[in-house]
Amino acid sequence: MSTELSDAVGDLNIEQTNENGKCENEDDDIVDPWNVVSKSQEGIDYDKLIRRFGSSKIDQEFIARFEKVTGKKVHHFLRRGIFFSHRDVHTILTHYEQNKPFFLYTGRGPSSGSMHLGHLIPFIFAKWLQDIFDVPIVIQLTDDEKFLWKDIKLEEANRLAYENAKDIIACGFDVNKTFIFSNMDFMGQNPEFYRNILRIEKCVTFNQVKGIFGFGDSDVIGKISFPAIQAAPCLSSSFPFIFGKAKVPCLIPCAIDQDPYFRMTRDVAPRLGYSKPALLHSTFFPALQGAQTKMSASDNNTAIFLTDTPKQIKNKVNKHAFSGGQATVEEHREKGGNCDVDISYQYLTFFLEDDERLEQIKKDYTSGALLTGELKKILIETLQPIVKTHQENRAKITDEIVREYMTLRKLNFQC
Ligand code: TRP
Protein backbone atom coordinates (compact mmCIF):
# COMPACT_ATOMS: atom_id res chain seq x y z
CA MET A 1 0.00 0.00 0.00
CA SER A 2 1.27 3.44 -0.88
CA THR A 3 2.31 5.80 1.82
CA GLU A 4 3.65 8.36 -0.59
CA LEU A 5 1.24 10.68 -2.33
CA SER A 6 2.34 10.91 -5.92
CA ASP A 7 2.02 14.22 -7.66
CA ALA A 8 0.59 12.96 -10.93
CA VAL A 9 -3.13 12.23 -10.84
CA GLY A 10 -2.64 9.17 -13.00
CA ASP A 11 -0.20 7.73 -10.48
CA LEU A 12 -2.36 8.31 -7.46
CA ASN A 13 -2.27 5.19 -5.39
CA ILE A 14 -4.00 6.19 -2.22
CA GLU A 15 -5.31 3.05 -0.50
CA GLN A 16 -5.01 1.19 -3.79
CA THR A 17 -8.41 2.42 -4.85
CA ASN A 18 -9.63 1.68 -8.29
CA GLU A 19 -9.09 4.98 -10.11
CA ASN A 20 -9.25 6.52 -6.69
CA GLY A 21 -12.88 5.58 -6.18
CA LYS A 22 -14.17 7.31 -9.26
CA CYS A 23 -16.78 5.86 -11.58
CA GLU A 24 -15.45 3.45 -14.18
CA ASN A 25 -18.39 3.71 -16.50
CA GLU A 26 -21.69 5.46 -16.92
CA ASP A 27 -23.68 2.84 -15.05
CA ASP A 28 -21.70 3.20 -11.85
CA ASP A 29 -23.39 4.76 -8.85
CA ILE A 30 -22.21 8.26 -8.03
CA VAL A 31 -20.93 8.48 -4.46
CA ASP A 32 -18.86 11.43 -3.27
CA PRO A 33 -19.23 13.93 -0.42
CA TRP A 34 -21.65 16.00 -2.54
CA ASN A 35 -23.63 13.53 -4.62
CA VAL A 36 -25.27 10.18 -4.01
CA VAL A 37 -27.17 8.83 -7.01
CA SER A 38 -27.92 5.30 -8.09
CA LYS A 39 -29.63 4.23 -11.26
CA SER A 40 -31.10 1.18 -9.56
CA GLN A 41 -34.36 1.16 -7.62
CA GLU A 42 -32.62 -1.03 -5.04
CA GLY A 43 -30.17 1.79 -4.42
CA ILE A 44 -26.40 1.85 -4.32
CA ASP A 45 -24.50 -1.36 -5.05
CA TYR A 46 -22.49 -1.40 -1.83
CA ASP A 47 -20.40 -4.46 -2.66
CA LYS A 48 -19.24 -2.76 -5.81
CA LEU A 49 -18.46 0.37 -3.78
CA ILE A 50 -16.25 -1.67 -1.43
CA ARG A 51 -14.29 -2.90 -4.44
CA ARG A 52 -14.06 0.57 -5.95
CA PHE A 53 -12.97 2.22 -2.72
CA GLY A 54 -10.75 -0.67 -1.66
CA SER A 55 -12.24 -0.98 1.84
CA SER A 56 -13.12 -4.20 3.71
CA LYS A 57 -16.55 -5.75 4.00
CA ILE A 58 -18.11 -6.18 7.41
CA ASP A 59 -18.87 -9.90 7.40
CA GLN A 60 -19.84 -12.56 9.93
CA GLU A 61 -16.24 -13.10 10.93
CA PHE A 62 -15.78 -9.39 11.66
CA ILE A 63 -18.96 -9.32 13.72
CA ALA A 64 -17.93 -12.45 15.65
CA ARG A 65 -14.59 -10.86 16.55
CA PHE A 66 -16.25 -7.58 17.50
CA GLU A 67 -18.58 -9.44 19.87
CA LYS A 68 -15.76 -11.53 21.31
CA VAL A 69 -13.57 -8.51 22.01
CA THR A 70 -16.31 -6.32 23.47
CA GLY A 71 -18.27 -9.13 25.13
CA LYS A 72 -21.47 -7.52 23.83
CA LYS A 73 -23.95 -8.25 21.09
CA VAL A 74 -23.33 -5.86 18.21
CA HIS A 75 -25.72 -3.04 17.36
CA HIS A 76 -28.42 -3.91 14.83
CA PHE A 77 -26.77 -1.42 12.43
CA LEU A 78 -23.86 -3.88 12.26
CA ARG A 79 -26.02 -7.02 12.26
CA ARG A 80 -28.09 -5.70 9.36
CA GLY A 81 -25.34 -4.37 7.15
CA ILE A 82 -26.16 -0.69 7.72
CA PHE A 83 -22.55 -0.24 8.79
CA PHE A 84 -21.24 -2.48 6.03
CA SER A 85 -17.60 -1.59 5.38
CA HIS A 86 -14.50 -0.69 7.35
CA ARG A 87 -10.83 0.15 7.26
CA ASP A 88 -8.42 -1.17 9.89
CA VAL A 89 -10.99 -1.76 12.64
CA HIS A 90 -9.21 -5.03 13.49
CA THR A 91 -6.23 -2.93 14.56
CA ILE A 92 -8.47 -0.88 16.86
CA LEU A 93 -9.98 -4.06 18.34
CA THR A 94 -6.51 -5.47 19.01
CA HIS A 95 -5.60 -2.19 20.64
CA TYR A 96 -8.68 -2.39 22.82
CA GLU A 97 -7.88 -5.99 23.78
CA GLN A 98 -4.52 -4.76 24.99
CA ASN A 99 -6.19 -2.07 27.09
CA LYS A 100 -4.69 0.68 25.01
CA PRO A 101 -6.71 3.85 24.43
CA PHE A 102 -8.32 5.13 21.23
CA PHE A 103 -10.83 7.85 20.44
CA LEU A 104 -13.83 8.32 18.19
CA TYR A 105 -14.22 11.14 15.69
CA THR A 106 -17.27 12.05 13.64
CA GLY A 107 -18.91 15.21 12.37
CA ARG A 108 -21.68 17.04 10.65
CA GLY A 109 -21.96 19.79 8.09
CA PRO A 110 -24.59 22.14 9.55
CA SER A 111 -26.45 23.16 6.41
CA SER A 112 -29.94 23.36 7.82
CA GLY A 113 -31.56 24.03 11.15
CA SER A 114 -33.77 20.98 10.99
CA MET A 115 -32.00 17.69 10.88
CA HIS A 116 -33.74 14.62 9.50
CA LEU A 117 -33.82 10.97 10.50
CA GLY A 118 -30.91 10.07 8.23
CA HIS A 119 -28.65 12.56 10.00
CA LEU A 120 -29.12 10.66 13.25
CA ILE A 121 -27.67 7.36 12.00
CA PRO A 122 -23.95 8.12 12.52
CA PHE A 123 -24.65 9.74 15.87
CA ILE A 124 -26.82 6.90 17.19
CA PHE A 125 -24.05 4.53 16.22
CA ALA A 126 -21.25 6.72 17.58
CA LYS A 127 -23.06 6.97 20.93
CA TRP A 128 -23.31 3.18 21.03
CA LEU A 129 -19.58 2.88 20.28
CA GLN A 130 -18.83 5.39 23.03
CA ASP A 131 -20.87 3.32 25.48
CA ILE A 132 -19.42 -0.10 24.69
CA PHE A 133 -15.80 1.02 24.47
CA ASP A 134 -16.02 3.78 27.07
CA VAL A 135 -13.90 6.14 24.97
CA PRO A 136 -13.90 9.88 24.24
CA ILE A 137 -15.44 11.30 21.08
CA VAL A 138 -14.71 14.52 19.23
CA ILE A 139 -17.47 15.87 16.97
CA GLN A 140 -16.58 18.39 14.25
CA LEU A 141 -19.24 20.83 13.05
CA THR A 142 -18.07 22.04 9.65
CA ASP A 143 -19.73 25.44 9.53
CA ASP A 144 -16.76 26.58 7.40
CA GLU A 145 -17.47 23.83 4.85
CA LYS A 146 -21.13 24.80 4.55
CA PHE A 147 -20.23 28.48 4.20
CA LEU A 148 -17.87 27.61 1.33
CA TRP A 149 -20.16 25.18 -0.47
CA LYS A 150 -23.64 26.59 0.06
CA ASP A 151 -25.31 29.89 -0.56
CA ILE A 152 -25.33 30.71 3.13
CA LYS A 153 -24.00 33.58 5.24
CA LEU A 154 -21.05 32.91 7.49
CA GLU A 155 -22.93 33.92 10.64
CA GLU A 156 -25.82 31.68 9.66
CA ALA A 157 -23.60 28.63 9.14
CA ASN A 158 -22.07 29.24 12.57
CA ARG A 159 -25.51 29.61 14.19
CA LEU A 160 -26.67 26.36 12.58
CA ALA A 161 -23.65 24.57 14.05
CA TYR A 162 -24.89 25.43 17.55
CA GLU A 163 -28.48 24.49 16.64
CA ASN A 164 -27.37 21.12 15.31
CA ALA A 165 -25.21 20.56 18.40
CA LYS A 166 -28.47 20.32 20.37
CA ASP A 167 -29.76 17.49 18.18
CA ILE A 168 -26.44 15.71 18.50
CA ILE A 169 -26.31 16.09 22.28
CA ALA A 170 -29.90 14.80 22.43
CA CYS A 171 -28.56 11.45 21.17
CA GLY A 172 -27.21 10.95 24.68
CA PHE A 173 -23.44 11.45 24.49
CA ASP A 174 -21.65 11.41 27.84
CA VAL A 175 -20.67 15.01 28.64
CA ASN A 176 -17.53 13.82 30.41
CA LYS A 177 -16.29 12.07 27.30
CA THR A 178 -17.55 14.27 24.48
CA PHE A 179 -16.11 17.39 22.86
CA ILE A 180 -18.10 19.15 20.14
CA PHE A 181 -16.59 22.04 18.18
CA SER A 182 -17.44 24.50 15.41
CA ASN A 183 -14.51 24.82 13.02
CA MET A 184 -14.98 28.58 12.77
CA ASP A 185 -14.63 28.99 16.52
CA PHE A 186 -12.19 26.20 17.34
CA MET A 187 -9.63 27.53 14.87
CA GLY A 188 -9.12 30.61 17.03
CA GLN A 189 -9.33 28.83 20.37
CA ASN A 190 -6.64 26.27 19.83
CA PRO A 191 -3.44 26.90 17.84
CA GLU A 192 -2.62 23.18 17.68
CA PHE A 193 -5.59 22.62 15.39
CA TYR A 194 -4.34 25.09 12.79
CA ARG A 195 -0.81 23.78 13.10
CA ASN A 196 -1.96 20.27 12.21
CA ILE A 197 -4.01 21.66 9.34
CA LEU A 198 -0.85 23.31 8.02
CA ARG A 199 1.14 20.10 8.37
CA ILE A 200 -1.50 18.25 6.38
CA GLU A 201 -1.79 21.03 3.78
CA LYS A 202 1.93 20.72 3.14
CA CYS A 203 1.58 17.00 2.36
CA VAL A 204 -1.10 17.23 -0.33
CA THR A 205 -0.83 18.91 -3.73
CA PHE A 206 -3.59 20.51 -5.80
CA ASN A 207 -3.24 17.66 -8.27
CA GLN A 208 -3.98 15.19 -5.55
CA VAL A 209 -7.11 16.88 -4.18
CA LYS A 210 -8.24 17.30 -7.78
CA GLY A 211 -7.87 13.56 -8.23
CA ILE A 212 -9.62 12.69 -4.99
CA PHE A 213 -12.41 15.28 -4.88
CA GLY A 214 -12.75 16.40 -8.48
CA PHE A 215 -12.01 20.07 -7.74
CA GLY A 216 -11.59 22.21 -10.83
CA ASP A 217 -10.00 25.47 -11.90
CA SER A 218 -13.05 27.52 -11.01
CA ASP A 219 -13.53 26.16 -7.48
CA VAL A 220 -12.80 28.74 -4.81
CA ILE A 221 -9.53 28.19 -2.96
CA GLY A 222 -11.32 27.63 0.37
CA LYS A 223 -12.72 24.38 -0.98
CA ILE A 224 -9.33 23.21 -2.11
CA SER A 225 -7.80 23.46 1.35
CA PHE A 226 -10.88 22.29 3.25
CA PRO A 227 -10.02 18.55 3.20
CA ALA A 228 -7.08 19.30 5.51
CA ILE A 229 -9.54 20.76 8.02
CA GLN A 230 -11.68 17.63 8.03
CA ALA A 231 -8.52 15.52 8.27
CA ALA A 232 -6.88 17.34 11.21
CA PRO A 233 -9.12 15.95 14.02
CA CYS A 234 -7.79 12.46 13.17
CA LEU A 235 -4.52 13.57 14.80
CA SER A 236 -4.90 13.43 18.57
CA SER A 237 -2.50 16.37 18.99
CA SER A 238 -5.24 18.63 17.57
CA PHE A 239 -6.80 18.29 21.04
CA PRO A 240 -3.94 18.84 23.52
CA PHE A 241 -6.44 19.62 26.31
CA ILE A 242 -7.81 16.05 25.96
CA PHE A 243 -4.81 13.96 24.90
CA GLY A 244 -1.81 16.02 25.96
CA LYS A 245 1.05 14.96 23.73
CA ALA A 246 -0.03 11.31 23.41
CA LYS A 247 -0.55 9.86 19.95
CA VAL A 248 -3.88 8.13 20.32
CA PRO A 249 -5.40 6.14 17.43
CA CYS A 250 -8.66 7.32 15.94
CA LEU A 251 -11.80 5.46 14.79
CA ILE A 252 -14.29 7.27 12.57
CA PRO A 253 -17.90 6.14 12.15
CA CYS A 254 -19.31 7.91 9.08
CA ALA A 255 -21.38 7.48 5.95
CA ILE A 256 -19.36 6.05 3.05
CA ASP A 257 -19.54 9.33 1.09
CA GLN A 258 -17.03 10.83 3.54
CA ASP A 259 -14.41 8.21 2.71
CA PRO A 260 -12.45 10.41 0.22
CA TYR A 261 -11.45 12.73 3.08
CA PHE A 262 -10.10 9.84 5.06
CA ARG A 263 -8.40 8.07 2.19
CA MET A 264 -6.41 11.27 1.93
CA THR A 265 -5.85 11.36 5.70
CA ARG A 266 -4.76 7.73 5.82
CA ASP A 267 -2.04 8.53 3.35
CA VAL A 268 -0.85 11.61 5.19
CA ALA A 269 -1.08 10.47 8.84
CA PRO A 270 1.85 8.00 8.79
CA ARG A 271 4.04 10.66 7.21
CA LEU A 272 3.31 12.86 10.21
CA GLY A 273 4.07 10.05 12.65
CA TYR A 274 0.49 8.94 13.37
CA SER A 275 -1.36 5.72 12.71
CA LYS A 276 -3.92 5.75 9.91
CA PRO A 277 -7.41 6.54 11.17
CA ALA A 278 -9.70 3.48 11.17
CA LEU A 279 -13.16 3.75 9.67
CA LEU A 280 -16.62 2.24 9.95
CA HIS A 281 -18.73 3.11 6.89
CA SER A 282 -22.52 3.25 6.79
CA THR A 283 -24.92 2.97 3.89
CA PHE A 284 -27.16 5.94 3.13
CA PHE A 285 -30.55 6.50 4.63
CA PRO A 286 -32.79 6.44 1.54
CA ALA A 287 -35.18 9.20 0.48
CA LEU A 288 -38.88 8.51 1.02
CA GLN A 289 -39.33 8.37 -2.76
CA GLY A 290 -36.89 5.50 -3.20
CA ALA A 291 -33.36 4.30 -2.70
CA GLN A 292 -31.89 5.93 -5.83
CA THR A 293 -30.82 8.77 -3.61
CA LYS A 294 -30.39 9.58 0.05
CA MET A 295 -32.70 11.55 2.28
CA SER A 296 -32.07 15.25 1.75
CA ALA A 297 -32.88 18.16 4.03
CA SER A 298 -33.38 20.50 1.09
CA ASP A 299 -36.44 18.66 -0.20
CA ASN A 300 -39.25 18.68 2.33
CA ASN A 301 -41.02 15.68 0.87
CA THR A 302 -38.06 13.32 0.72
CA ALA A 303 -37.32 13.68 4.41
CA ILE A 304 -38.78 13.05 7.83
CA PHE A 305 -37.48 15.83 10.01
CA LEU A 306 -36.73 15.57 13.69
CA THR A 307 -39.18 18.45 14.15
CA ASP A 308 -42.08 16.71 12.37
CA THR A 309 -45.31 16.15 14.30
CA PRO A 310 -46.84 12.64 14.55
CA LYS A 311 -49.39 13.72 11.97
CA GLN A 312 -46.76 14.96 9.53
CA ILE A 313 -44.88 11.67 9.90
CA LYS A 314 -48.06 9.75 9.18
CA ASN A 315 -48.90 11.83 6.12
CA LYS A 316 -45.39 11.74 4.67
CA VAL A 317 -45.09 7.97 5.02
CA ASN A 318 -48.55 7.34 3.63
CA LYS A 319 -48.17 9.77 0.76
CA HIS A 320 -44.54 9.52 -0.25
CA ALA A 321 -42.88 6.31 1.00
CA PHE A 322 -42.09 4.32 -2.13
CA SER A 323 -43.88 1.00 -2.04
CA GLY A 324 -42.65 -2.38 -3.20
CA GLY A 325 -46.22 -3.65 -3.07
CA GLN A 326 -48.49 -4.55 -5.96
CA ALA A 327 -51.06 -2.30 -7.60
CA THR A 328 -54.16 -4.00 -6.19
CA VAL A 329 -54.89 -5.98 -3.04
CA GLU A 330 -55.67 -9.08 -5.10
CA GLU A 331 -52.41 -8.86 -6.99
CA HIS A 332 -50.48 -8.18 -3.77
CA ARG A 333 -52.00 -11.22 -2.03
CA GLU A 334 -51.04 -13.29 -5.02
CA LYS A 335 -47.54 -12.03 -5.82
CA GLY A 336 -46.42 -10.41 -2.58
CA GLY A 337 -44.33 -7.27 -2.07
CA ASN A 338 -40.67 -6.55 -2.72
CA CYS A 339 -38.77 -5.60 0.44
CA ASP A 340 -35.62 -4.76 -1.55
CA VAL A 341 -37.22 -1.61 -2.95
CA ASP A 342 -39.88 -0.90 -0.33
CA ILE A 343 -38.90 2.20 1.62
CA SER A 344 -41.11 1.49 4.64
CA TYR A 345 -39.41 -1.85 5.06
CA GLN A 346 -35.99 -0.26 4.57
CA TYR A 347 -36.69 2.30 7.28
CA LEU A 348 -37.76 -0.45 9.65
CA THR A 349 -34.36 -2.10 9.22
CA PHE A 350 -32.87 1.13 10.61
CA PHE A 351 -35.34 1.78 13.41
CA LEU A 352 -37.12 -1.44 14.46
CA GLU A 353 -34.77 -3.10 16.89
CA ASP A 354 -36.64 -6.39 17.32
CA ASP A 355 -34.95 -8.86 14.92
CA GLU A 356 -37.70 -11.48 15.12
CA ARG A 357 -40.47 -9.02 14.43
CA LEU A 358 -38.57 -7.57 11.49
CA GLU A 359 -38.03 -11.04 10.07
CA GLN A 360 -41.74 -11.83 10.42
CA ILE A 361 -42.66 -8.56 8.67
CA LYS A 362 -40.33 -9.41 5.81
CA LYS A 363 -41.86 -12.86 5.45
CA ASP A 364 -45.41 -11.58 5.56
CA TYR A 365 -44.81 -8.72 3.15
CA THR A 366 -42.98 -10.94 0.69
CA SER A 367 -45.74 -13.56 0.79
CA GLY A 368 -48.47 -10.97 0.38
CA ALA A 369 -50.01 -11.63 3.81
CA LEU A 370 -49.06 -8.09 4.88
CA LEU A 371 -50.38 -5.21 2.77
CA THR A 372 -48.55 -1.95 2.01
CA GLY A 373 -50.96 0.05 4.15
CA GLU A 374 -50.34 -2.28 7.07
CA LEU A 375 -46.58 -2.09 6.63
CA LYS A 376 -46.74 1.70 6.51
CA LYS A 377 -48.77 1.68 9.71
CA ILE A 378 -46.06 -0.34 11.48
CA LEU A 379 -43.43 2.14 10.26
CA ILE A 380 -45.49 5.15 11.37
CA GLU A 381 -45.98 3.63 14.81
CA THR A 382 -42.27 2.89 15.05
CA LEU A 383 -41.10 6.35 14.01
CA GLN A 384 -43.56 8.53 15.90
CA PRO A 385 -42.29 7.64 19.40
CA ILE A 386 -38.65 7.80 18.30
CA VAL A 387 -39.07 11.33 16.93
CA LYS A 388 -41.16 12.37 19.93
CA THR A 389 -38.53 11.13 22.38
CA HIS A 390 -35.86 12.96 20.39
CA GLN A 391 -37.89 16.18 20.59
CA GLU A 392 -38.33 15.77 24.34
CA ASN A 393 -34.62 15.15 24.83
CA ARG A 394 -33.70 18.08 22.62
CA ALA A 395 -36.03 20.43 24.48
CA LYS A 396 -33.98 19.78 27.61
CA ILE A 397 -30.71 20.89 25.97
CA THR A 398 -30.19 24.50 27.07
CA ASP A 399 -27.59 26.89 25.67
CA GLU A 400 -25.67 26.31 28.87
CA ILE A 401 -25.53 22.56 28.23
CA VAL A 402 -24.35 23.17 24.65
CA ARG A 403 -21.61 25.42 26.06
CA GLU A 404 -20.48 22.64 28.37
CA TYR A 405 -20.03 20.13 25.53
CA MET A 406 -18.29 22.76 23.42
CA THR A 407 -15.87 24.04 26.04
CA LEU A 408 -12.19 23.13 25.61
CA ARG A 409 -11.51 20.98 28.64
CA LYS A 410 -10.05 17.78 29.96
CA LEU A 411 -12.27 14.78 29.41
CA ASN A 412 -12.69 11.80 31.69
CA PHE A 413 -9.98 9.79 30.01
CA GLN A 414 -6.49 8.44 30.71
CA CYS A 415 -4.00 7.89 27.92
N1 TRP B 1 -18.24 16.77 5.88
C1 TRP B 1 -19.21 16.21 6.76
C2 TRP B 1 -20.63 16.63 6.31
O1 TRP B 1 -20.81 17.41 5.44
C3 TRP B 1 -19.01 16.64 8.20
C4 TRP B 1 -17.85 15.96 8.87
C5 TRP B 1 -16.71 16.58 9.35
C6 TRP B 1 -17.69 14.59 9.16
N2 TRP B 1 -15.88 15.68 9.93
C7 TRP B 1 -16.45 14.46 9.83
C8 TRP B 1 -18.50 13.47 8.96
C9 TRP B 1 -16.01 13.21 10.28
C10 TRP B 1 -18.04 12.24 9.38
C11 TRP B 1 -16.81 12.10 10.04
O2 TRP B 1 -21.59 16.13 6.86
Side-chain angles (χ1 to χ4, degrees):
M1 202 165 293
S2 147
T3 47
E4 281 289 307
L5 280 172
S6 153
D7 206 87
V9 182
D11 291 337
L12 261 180
N13 193 21
I14 297 175
E15 293 284 339
Q16 293 187 321
T17 59
N18 183 350
E19 287 190 42
N20 212 22
K22 277 191 295 213
C23 297
E24 285 162 58
N25 57 53
E26 278 179 19
D27 292 336
D28 274 347
D29 300 326
I30 301 169
V31 177
D32 64 38
W34 306 283
N35 303 288
V36 175
V37 185
S38 166
K39 298 213 168 75
S40 159
Q41 189 73 59
E42 287 167 24
I44 308 291
D45 183 339
Y46 288 107
D47 281 332
K48 208 166 170 189
L49 212 55
I50 287 175
R51 288 195 298 276
R52 245 167 71 198
F53 283 11
S55 59
S56 308
K57 193 179 166 86
I58 291 183
D59 53 15
Q60 273 318 310
E61 206 180 312
F62 176 96
I63 289 176
R65 171 147 197 248
F66 205 102
E67 292 192 331
K68 185 166 166 269
V69 170
T70 61
K72 304 221 167 63
K73 188 173 173 187
V74 295
H75 195 277
H76 68 273
F77 287 173
L78 279 169
R79 292 202 298 276
R80 297 180 192 163
I82 289 167
F83 276 79
F84 71 104
S85 153
H86 77 98
R87 294 187 190 275
D88 271 351
V89 173
H90 282 299
T91 312
I92 294 283
L93 291 175
T94 303
H95 217 75
Y96 181 74
E97 276 177 323
Q98 297 166 347
N99 280 319
K100 291 183 189 151
F102 72 94
F103 73 101
L104 298 166
Y105 161 40
T106 192
R108 157 155 178 87
S111 58
S112 79
S114 41
M115 286 171 60
H116 61 58
L117 276 180
H119 293 141
L120 282 188
I121 306 302
F123 295 107
I124 292 171
F125 191 64
K127 140 89 175 134
W128 177 77
L129 290 171
Q130 177 177 67
D131 286 349
I132 60 158
F133 289 112
D134 191 28
V135 285
I137 182 165
V138 295
I139 301 176
Q140 178 179 55
L141 301 172
T142 55
D143 41 9
D144 49 354
E145 175 191 19
K146 293 302 153 184
F147 169 65
L148 288 165
W149 262 270
K150 302 262 169 181
D151 183 17
I152 181 175
K153 288 225 163 60
L154 192 144
E155 292 75 14
E156 177 65 0
N158 186 240
R159 186 186 72 80
L160 291 175
Y162 287 80
E163 273 305 300
N164 288 180
K166 290 189 179 171
D167 286 287
I168 293 169
I169 293 167
C171 292
F173 291 99
D174 176 355
V175 68
N176 297 311
K177 291 194 159 60
T178 305
F179 175 59
I180 305 178
F181 59 101
S182 125
N183 278 346
M184 280 188 206
D185 296 328
F186 192 46
M187 203 75 75
Q189 291 165 336
N190 167 31
E192 297 308 323
F193 186 43
Y194 186 52
R195 286 171 191 205
N196 277 339
I197 291 166
L198 279 170
R199 290 182 180 109
I200 296 163
E201 283 172 345
K202 198 171 176 175
C203 289
V204 186
T205 68
F206 178 45
N207 254 333
Q208 288 160 347
V209 284
K210 238 182 355 191
I212 302 168
F213 298 96
F215 296 143
D217 287 349
S218 48
D219 276 311
V220 298
I221 60 174
K223 288 189 184 180
I224 291 150
S225 59
F226 175 76
I229 306 176
Q230 183 152 332
C234 298
L235 311 182
S236 53
S237 58
S238 294
F239 308 96
F241 47 93
I242 302 174
F243 304 110
K245 286 195 185 325
K247 289 189 172 167
V248 183
C250 171
L251 169 63
I252 307 165
C254 65
I256 185 91
D257 62 335
Q258 298 298 304
D259 190 63
Y261 289 109
F262 303 118
R263 286 204 292 271
M264 184 194 89
T265 316
R266 283 168 58 82
D267 206 280
V268 170
R271 296 158 68 192
L272 298 175
Y274 292 82
S275 54
K276 297 180 177 197
L279 289 143
L280 279 163
H281 296 125
S282 76
T283 62
F284 304 108
F285 193 70
L288 273 167
Q289 280 77 359
Q292 283 103 331
T293 188
K294 62 175 177 175
M295 190 173 264
S296 158
S298 39
D299 184 346
N300 220 334
N301 289 326
T302 72
I304 293 172
F305 291 99
L306 299 176
T307 48
D308 281 350
T309 62
K311 203 165 156 213
Q312 282 172 314
I313 294 173
K314 183 172 167 208
N315 287 340
K316 280 187 191 177
V317 170
N318 281 332
K319 246 201 213 147
H320 299 294
F322 184 84
S323 167
Q326 306 296 340
T328 64
V329 173
E330 292 71 35
E331 207 187 325
H332 188 86
R333 293 274 187 233
E334 193 193 318
K335 296 184 185 155
N338 180 359
C339 285
D340 292 340
V341 299
D342 192 283
I343 288 298
S344 301
Y345 177 76
Q346 304 286 318
Y347 284 13
L348 285 175
T349 66
F350 283 84
F351 287 107
L352 184 68
E353 282 182 36
D354 185 336
D355 287 337
E356 274 170 38
R357 180 143 185 250
L358 186 70
E359 194 50 44
Q360 191 61 45
I361 290 168
K362 185 172 189 179
K363 254 195 215 141
D364 292 346
Y365 195 61
T366 310
S367 75
L370 189 71
L371 298 172
T372 295
E374 293 164 338
L375 177 63
K376 287 193 171 188
K377 187 160 179 279
I378 298 172
L379 176 65
I380 292 162
E381 285 167 2
T382 304
L383 294 183
Q384 282 172 335
I386 289 173
V387 173
K388 185 162 172 276
T389 305
H390 180 84
Q391 289 168 359
E392 285 164 4
N393 289 342
R394 191 189 193 278
K396 290 183 209 135
I397 312 299
T398 59
D399 292 343
E400 182 51 38
I401 293 175
V402 174
R403 232 191 328 273
E404 254 180 79
Y405 279 86
M406 298 185 70
T407 298
L408 281 63
R409 66 207 191 281
K410 246 187 121 49
L411 296 182
N412 184 1
F413 169 71
Q414 290 291 320
C415 50

